[in-house]
Amino acid sequence: MTNVKDHDMHIITIATRNSLRVLQRISGLFSRYSVNIDQMSIFSGQNGLSHFSIIVYSDDHSILKLTNQLHKIIEVCDVRVLNNQKF
């Protein structure tokens, strides 16, 4: 198993339309790409949108593949990787 310190920290924000099982589909992608979620915050915003803030430690290649797949979920409106820092 790789050490967390070998990876960069990434903060991924996702805006989705409120829908049944959208959290399940999003978390399933993290599992599929073997990206462990360190922290997750979700809140409901205006106009029926939910906003996810997810902190993960992973390599850039895995994050790129993951975000490309997140864009394919119908309910997802926006995906952004805010920063990555070496820890």
Side-chain angles (χ1 to χ4, degrees):
M1 186 170 167
T2 56
N3 190 350
V4 168
K5 293 185 181 194
D6 295 339
H7 296 297
D8 291 336
M9 181 184 82
H10 299 271
I11 300 172
I12 300 171
T13 63
I14 306 168
T16 68
R17 290 188 296 278
N18 289 335
S19 175
L20 291 175
R21 294 186 287 279
V22 70
L23 174 59
Q24 180 183 3
R25 286 192 285 276
I26 289 172
S27 62
L29 283 176
F30 282 84
S31 176
R32 185 178 307 150
Y33 289 98
S34 299
V35 175
N36 288 329
I37 295 172
D38 191 58
Q39 294 180 22
M40 178 187 281
S41 298
I42 306 167
F43 68 93
S44 293
Q46 299 173 345
N47 302 327
L49 293 178
S50 292
H51 301 274
F52 293 71
S53 240
I54 304 168
I55 298 175
V56 299
Y57 292 91
S58 188
D59 59 282
D60 292 336
H61 181 68
S62 294
I63 296 299
L64 179 62
K65 290 191 310 183
L66 174 67
T67 54
N68 287 337
Q69 292 301 312
L70 285 168
H71 282 289
K72 293 180 182 181
I73 297 175
I74 294 171
E75 294 86 3
V76 171
C77 301
D78 187 37
V79 177
R80 296 180 189 200
V81 179
L82 295 180
N83 70 349
N84 57 347
Q85 301 172 353
K86 198 67 152 182
F87 283 91

